[in-house]
Amino acid sequence: MELLSPAGNVEKLKYCYTYGADAAYIGLKNFSLRVKADNFYEDEYKKVCELKKKFPGKRLHCALNISFHNDEIDRLIENIPYFRQYPIDAFIVQDLGIVPILQKEFPDAELHLSTQASCMNREAVKMYKSLGFKRVVMGREASLKEIAEIKQAVPDMEIECFVHGAMCIAYAGRCLMSAYLNGRSAQEGFCSHTCRWDYDVLAKIDSSKDAKKIAESGNLVLREHKRPDEYFPVYEGEHFTQVLSSKDLCMIDHLEDLKKAGVDSLKIEGRMKSVYYVALITRAYRKALDALDGKLSQKEAEPFVDELYKVSHRPFATGFYYNKEDADVAVSGASDSPFELAAEIGSPLDSSEEEKILEAAQTNRKLKQEKYDALCPQAKAAYDKRALGMPDKHLANIEKKEGWRMYSLEALNMLNKETYMELVSPEIVAQKIELHKDFELVNPENGEVYNWVCNGHPVVFYTNLKITNGSLIRTKDEGYVEGIFRETGR
């Protein structure tokens, strides 16, 4: 089975491929249902082409899955020369109006039907096959039993299914709630996740009356905290179903069932999610799939799979694959995680770049020593006292160490000696590391050794640790409490 991961920008695309995805899906500006994702534009096709060369055999799928208005069709046609510059293997679409355009202009690219089309039966799949589609991304409401029946009826149609990530309360994501409340249409990529806002449930009748009668009366209403004068009626039927925020989908323990059902591609949701999310979720599914295929043992895969639960998520469910009862349960609180991404480790510096930093350190050290030697004894004593009291103002300079290498580093959060840090990579589950023991943070301009860095600092990572492509540093989130999902924002 193919593993398909989400890439909201070029950086995330790199991590998709690095952490084991067979394919990644992207969106192009203004034509994707995740407008708030960075998406791809201008000359980023050059970086994408380079990545495809660096990762031969990896596929690239492009989501053009909005519902098109007339002017958007016009803009699509105008932008075709630009789209041709991307090495796109398949287009993911829901609007049949653009199908003839894509078939004419991109004859070598496959057509994949978006889950937004809510395709859930064999006759619909046959119809889409007759239109030239090679793959159907099943509607989220399809069960494994239905998928197996569809695959048996149309064996040469590829079946793609979501296996991980956020689920929509609305039917296959076709929701008007955001447009109604906020003027931001989910069908045009502007979903404001109104289903996850904070609401009060109010009743127009005496709350002392029987709860079941209240629920079935039609007099229950929702009121969002920031809109105290707006009320939204709620009707609860016989089988009570909470509205609003759904559980997250997670099928990592059920990959064999998906394979038996005939699923060809496993899709991870999350083009708006972080690099850390994309990397670790992709890695977990990669290892689980490799174990399923006998490429490694279940015991070897297990630590990587366990890391999936340390990535931001709401309580997990299996969606509609087995039954709908679990999917019907709403939850509260934002996605949460015990860890935060603190830094991204980049490529190793070449020998000339390293030598330049070491030379700068040596020159800086020499100048400092000369100035210090020129001081009188009293001034030296005063200097020594200041240096002890203000260590960040009197930094040491790096020295060459055998077996150590320098790497580019982008710090995203504060890193210092007291920070609990772990190194993660495609093959390292999580390795605890310490500043001034396992690595140094170096100012590339003068070779000084930092005691701390934060975002925006020019810094080089100097270490003898095993650093592979795509390595990350994570830190603990001190506010995290296991089992409690905090309101960390929408």
Side-chain angles (χ1 to χ4, degrees), residues 275-290:
V275 161
Y276 179 69
Y277 178 96
V278 168
L280 267 71
I281 298 300
T282 298
R283 186 181 71 170
Y285 277 87
R286 176 75 277 149
K287 298 300 183 182
L289 278 171
D290 287 348

Side-chain angles (χ1 to χ4, degrees), residues 212 216 235-242 324-325 328:
K212 187 172 186 292
E216 295 177 348
Y235 177 77
E236 300 288 0
E238 169 130 7
H239 302 290
F240 178 77
T241 301
Q242 291 186 19
K324 68 176 185 177
E325 281 73 19
D328 282 346

Side-chain angles (χ1 to χ4, degrees), residues 282-455:
T282 298
R283 186 181 71 170
Y285 277 87
R286 176 75 277 149
K287 298 300 183 182
L289 278 171
D290 287 348
L292 181 64
D293 293 339
K295 296 177 182 177
L296 72 166
S297 68
Q298 290 289 346
K299 186 176 180 180
E300 290 171 315
E302 188 175 344
F304 294 95
V305 172
D306 288 345
E307 286 293 310
L308 175 147
Y309 299 94
K310 298 176 184 178
V311 181
S312 177
H313 69 280
R314 292 177 174 84
F316 285 134
T318 55
F320 295 86
Y321 286 119
Y322 296 101
N323 57 68
K324 68 176 185 177
E325 281 73 19
D326 201 21
D328 282 346
V329 178
V331 296
S332 62
S335 297
D336 213 351
S337 168
F339 290 97
E340 296 178 311
L341 179 61
E344 299 175 23
I345 303 175
S347 303
L349 275 60
D350 61 37
S351 56
S352 63
E353 291 173 316
E354 282 198 12
E355 193 59 39
K356 186 177 179 180
I357 294 172
L358 291 169
E359 288 176 359
Q362 186 176 359
T363 300
N364 199 10
R365 185 185 306 109
K366 183 179 178 181
L367 288 172
K368 289 178 182 177
Q369 190 63 48
E370 289 174 352
K371 289 181 180 179
Y372 182 80
D373 291 341
L375 298 174
C376 66
Q378 295 86 347
K380 285 182 178 178
Y383 179 91
D384 292 341
K385 185 176 180 180
R386 286 198 306 272
L388 285 172
M390 297 185 293
D392 291 338
K393 295 286 187 180
H394 301 82
L395 298 174
N397 287 93
I398 197 69
E399 294 184 4
K400 185 175 177 62
K401 299 182 181 182
E402 288 300 320
W404 286 52
R405 290 291 311 273
M406 293 184 184
Y407 299 81
S408 61
L409 182 100
E410 182 181 1
L412 304 174
N413 291 316
M414 171 76 77
L415 299 176
N416 58 38
K417 197 174 188 302
E418 286 70 45
T419 306
Y420 179 90
M421 288 176 271
E422 290 183 351
L423 175 72
V424 297
S425 75
E427 299 302 331
I428 296 175
V429 178
Q431 176 184 347
K432 183 181 177 182
I433 58 175
E434 295 182 29
L435 180 61
H436 302 320
K437 178 184 176 183
D438 301 306
F439 67 95
E440 300 287 6
L441 298 170
V442 182
N443 185 333
E445 297 172 0
N446 59 19
E448 289 183 335
V449 180
Y450 288 124
N451 291 320
W452 61 273
V453 297
C454 61
N455 183 251

Side-chain angles (χ1 to χ4, degrees), residues 85-143:
Q85 297 175 102
Y86 282 86
I88 295 169
D89 296 297
F91 288 102
I92 307 167
V93 302
Q94 66 153 318
D95 193 325
L96 295 182
I98 68 170
V99 168
I101 298 170
L102 295 177
Q103 289 174 325
K104 177 184 176 182
E105 302 293 345
F106 301 91
D108 296 327
E110 298 173 4
L111 285 177
H112 295 178
L113 184 72
S114 171
T115 190
Q116 298 294 124
S118 298
C119 182
M120 293 186 298
N121 65 74
R122 61 180 181 272
E123 299 307 318
V125 171
K126 291 175 184 177
M127 187 273 292
Y128 286 115
K129 183 177 182 299
S130 72
L131 294 177
F133 283 85
K134 185 173 182 181
R135 178 181 297 186
V136 166
V137 187
M138 297 303 302
R140 301 291 193 100
E141 300 78 18
S143 68

Side-chain angles (χ1 to χ4, degrees), residues 200-211 213-223 231-234 236:
D200 295 316
V201 179
L202 309 175
K204 296 178 181 178
I205 58 178
D206 186 354
S207 59
S208 65
K209 292 184 179 180
D210 180 78
K213 290 181 179 178
I214 295 174
E216 295 177 348
S217 69
N219 288 318
L220 281 180
V221 294
L222 290 180
R223 182 181 68 187
Y231 301 89
F232 306 95
V234 175
E236 300 288 0

